[in-house]
Amino acid sequence: MRAIRRFTVRTVLPTELASLGELVHNLRWSWHPETTDLFAEVDPRLWEQVGHDPVALLGAVDHARLAELAADRRFLRRLADAADDLREYMTAPRWYQTLPDAAHAIAYFSPEYGIAAALPQYSGGLGILAGDHLKTASDLGVPILAVGLLYRHGYFTQSLSPEGWQLEHYPSLDAGGLPLTLLKEEDGTPVKIRISLPDDRVLHAQLWVAQVGRVPLLLLDSDVADNDIAARDVTDRLYGGGTDHRLMQELLLGVGGVRAIRAYCRITGHAEPEVFHTNEGHAGFLGLERIRELTESRLSFDEALEAVRAGTVFTTHTPVPAGIDRFPVDMIERQFGGGNAWPTVPVERILALGAEEQPGRFNMAIMGMRLAQRVNGVSELHGAVSREMFKGLWPGFDLDEVPIGSITNGVHAPTWVGRELMELAGRELPSLIERARGWEGVQKVPDSDLWDIRGTLRRRLVEGARVRLRKAWRDRGASDAELGWIDDALDPDVLTIGFARRVPSYKRLTLMLRDAERLTDLLLDSDKPVQILIAGKAHPADEGGKKLIQQIVKFADRADVRHRIVFLPDYDMALGQLLVQGCDVWLNNPLRPLEASGTSGMKSALNGGLNLSIRDGWWDEWYDGTNGWAIPTADGVTDQDRRDELEAAALYDLIEHEVADRFYDRAGDGLPRRWLEMVKHTLTSLGPKVLAGRMLRDYVVGLYLPAALSARALSGDSYAAAKGFAAWRVRVARAWPGVRVEHVEASGIGDAPEVGAALELHATVALGDLEPGDVLVEAAYGRVGPHDELVHPAYMSLRTDGVDDDGRAHYAGVIPLDRTGPFGYTVRVVPHHALAASRAELGLIAVPEEPAGMTNGVLR
Ligand SMILES: *Cc1c(COP(=O)(O)O)cnc(C)c1O
């Protein structure tokens, strides 16, 4: 019989052990091995049995053992030390506290969080990144307040059928068995969030708090008795269900998330966030809720929009069109219009925010960009791809000026780096993990020490992989008698390549199978064998992805290669840690440029693994020729099959002639000197860059603080500036059709201009109803391409030279001819306001009407 409901009865700790409860309920343990050592000591055998999950440990440990520990002076002393250490960690000033005028709080919204394997609320990179972001914010003292959903079944766990087909299981999680605390009102009743739905329905949610070091993570949970069945299931699973289900989840995350923050701040006295960071489109409704709040108190829609935009940061995480979140317009109309409309937020305005080229579609990414004054992608290449992808929102502007920047992702070292390596780093270079400097110290580490640690990590991986492999085969119906070979599967001394990631088609899980014979030869080479460990989950609805997994599994089932290539089911953070720490080489072969950043390769690099990757995402930016290998990409080849063929061949060649050669090139003492040289170079060149600490500082300095300043500027004096800016914006948009560059004239150079000469420019601009102060008139100049287009032009403001009675304004300036070759210039007018974050902000621009007029400006 199956239980229809489950819950966890929490243990009552003896008072002497009360602080053990504190330690368990702060997820800092997930990146603090000294604390988990203490948990292990509670009951070492049980600790292994519960898979290193401290809440499960406390639930299962028997009373006699707790009583024993309560009388164990040595244990109590260690416990007191650990508790002191946590308190000090929670309160001591850190990097952020050294910044003047910093934001009091920053809200961070994400649909998933990968904090620890014991809190399975993530599916892949976006969640892991969010988890690393929070942990790093905690380490640096950045006052983030995070919001997400609590999925009752999390993401699925994966196993395989006898035929190698992916099977999904949705274990029932119970919040009482997780390191979470229910948020309650002062009178002890649980806090309730309510959102009204069409047809007089209401979506209710309660609120769990996960403490991630210093960062509170609020998780909304719709599994409450007030809800009808459908509403209870809103938070049933991550990325499951249809469009309607997704809309409900996003509504709860965005609208409910802001309400959750308000409740949390009201009850705990936590500072209200000045900045709201929206990760991907999923949380985009948060901007609408904040507009609603402001319009209900005192502002018009346009004024509220400006106030909200100023304090909002939007990060786009994917260049894959299918990854962009969209809804049918009528669903949005039903939710935000008719009888369910918010009186002060007209549904037409909402629809306009999410409008895209395709009519009938409501685009969450585009709404995210319109609701945020600051937008970024997650690597330089992804920033460029995003500018291309969304340039239509800023018509008339050059690609370089599309206001989407980039901050390259990073990873949280204490979470991902093997303990032995962290300890070595702590010994040899105290600043290794926390700081951007000091990485040259890696060069001083003796080769033999480094190689020993790499060997330890590889051996641990091989042993862990065997355990998982045996379980996988048992799940597929094999008997122990058939599994003797697993004792010798994989080899702790063989060059080990890892490939673990989600299985969308662009990541090309099966590229390595392209030439099965060639792969077999590499695996079985008698002098220089390689072994490959593979893991990854396909989305439950992705039959294609499941087929790819099956192909890999079928190949790895072959008796001749199964000891050298394995598929390990159920890729999660625990398996990820094992893999990135133990693999010598981290393989990544996405279809460029569809990998926005990728982070698993960064984790590998921090562990002294070498990346073997297509130049996509972060690797495009930081590959330097000797810190790993770039698989040549056949970018221009449009025939996908041909492209796969070319890139696979290049991959095999690299493994055979570069990677394996170097790994097996041993000196007299058995050390692979040339390999270790590359490992050290990887650590010194990539270490400081791939740290999430670098990423977080970039967010704080580049986006959070400027956003906080903008938000303060707009909200001060009862939102006077927001009102002024909104009115200005409306006035400028209305007057813009009257703005024209009427005439441009150049002088100062003869027939044969030479470098070093100066070009005097005079422009006449019709301003219509605008004042000179409303606009910026600029010369754009520089190299021109074959169609007279300016390539990466420079800009220079022209100075006002007076206004005629008829509203024509004159401008002038001097352009240096600072380069030889084809040179061109033009003049443009853009709106100008101190509170705009970029020139393209309003998406308005005026250039000389006759493009032919431009030819005057091209000097050849
Ligand atoms: C790091 C990580 C990811 C993301 O890896 P990518 O390189 O971005 O594909 C996904 N899942 C898990 C479990 C991870 O640890």
Side-chain angles (χ1 to χ4, degrees), residues 641-657:
D641 196 53
R642 175 91 187 114
R643 181 165 170 183
D644 285 358
E645 168 118 12
L646 290 170
E647 295 182 8
L651 169 63
Y652 298 131
D653 284 347
L654 271 173
I655 293 179
E656 184 177 347
H657 301 301

Side-chain angles (χ1 to χ4, degrees), residues 122 124-125 128 416 501 507 571-573 576 595 598-601 603:
Y122 58 91
I128 302 288
W416 299 108
R501 42 187 49 84
K507 295 206 185 223
Y571 181 39
D572 70 351
M573 286 184 73
E595 180 90 302
T599 53
S600 54
K603 302 169 195 165

Side-chain angles (χ1 to χ4, degrees), residues 478-681:
S479 69
D480 274 338
E482 301 164 82
L483 298 181
W485 64 273
I486 290 180
D487 295 336
D488 303 312
L490 304 174
D491 182 329
D493 295 318
V494 163
L495 168 60
T496 305
I497 301 181
F499 185 100
R501 42 187 49 84
R502 292 180 303 111
V503 192
S505 58
Y506 77 87
K507 295 206 185 223
R508 293 193 295 189
L509 171 69
T510 53
L511 190 73
M512 66 177 87
L513 295 185
R514 190 75 204 189
D515 182 342
E517 221 168 290
R518 185 102 197 256
L519 176 63
T520 308
D521 289 347
L522 291 173
L523 296 171
L524 301 180
D525 192 289
S526 50
D527 294 332
K528 298 170 185 168
V530 302
Q531 58 192 0
I532 307 184
L533 290 90
I534 304 157
K537 294 176 177 178
H539 186 279
D542 177 14
E543 295 288 302
K546 293 184 201 177
K547 283 206 183 100
L548 298 182
I549 289 177
Q550 189 176 38
Q551 285 167 28
I552 285 278
V553 173
K554 290 266 176 199
F555 182 84
D557 279 355
R558 271 173 36 182
D560 60 331
V561 295
R562 66 187 180 187
H563 61 299
R564 284 280 150 76
I565 181 167
V566 299
F567 180 86
L568 302 173
D570 206 24
Y571 181 39
D572 70 351
M573 286 184 73
L575 179 53
Q577 283 162 333
L578 205 59
L579 285 167
V580 296
Q581 291 170 16
C583 287
D584 301 292
V585 172
W586 198 254
L587 173 63
N588 192 19
N589 45 233
L591 206 55
R592 190 176 188 272
L594 296 182
E595 180 90 302
S597 166
T599 53
S600 54
M602 298 179 175
K603 302 169 195 165
S604 170
L606 272 185
N607 278 289
L610 300 179
N611 277 268
L612 168 60
S613 172
I614 295 272
R615 290 189 72 155
D616 199 4
W618 73 281
W619 191 235
D620 184 62
E621 205 167 315
W622 290 333
Y623 168 65
D624 71 358
T626 49
N627 56 6
W629 296 274
I631 305 168
T633 152
D635 261 3
V637 178
T638 45
D639 176 351
Q640 167 87 50
D641 196 53
R642 175 91 187 114
R643 181 165 170 183
D644 285 358
E645 168 118 12
L646 290 170
E647 295 182 8
L651 169 63
Y652 298 131
D653 284 347
L654 271 173
I655 293 179
E656 184 177 347
H657 301 301
E658 305 276 341
V659 184
D661 264 8
R662 199 176 261 259
F663 184 86
Y664 289 107
D665 177 8
R666 303 298 165 94
D669 54 8
L671 292 177
R673 299 274 179 208
R674 291 201 307 136
W675 185 271
L676 289 167
E677 194 183 297
M678 215 159 149
V679 169
K680 286 182 174 179
H681 176 60

Side-chain angles (χ1 to χ4, degrees), residues 287 301 314 444 457 478 501 579 614 702 743 810:
F301 184 93
F314 177 78
K444 290 188 300 227
L457 296 174
R501 42 187 49 84
L579 285 167
I614 295 272
H743 186 69
H810 300 281

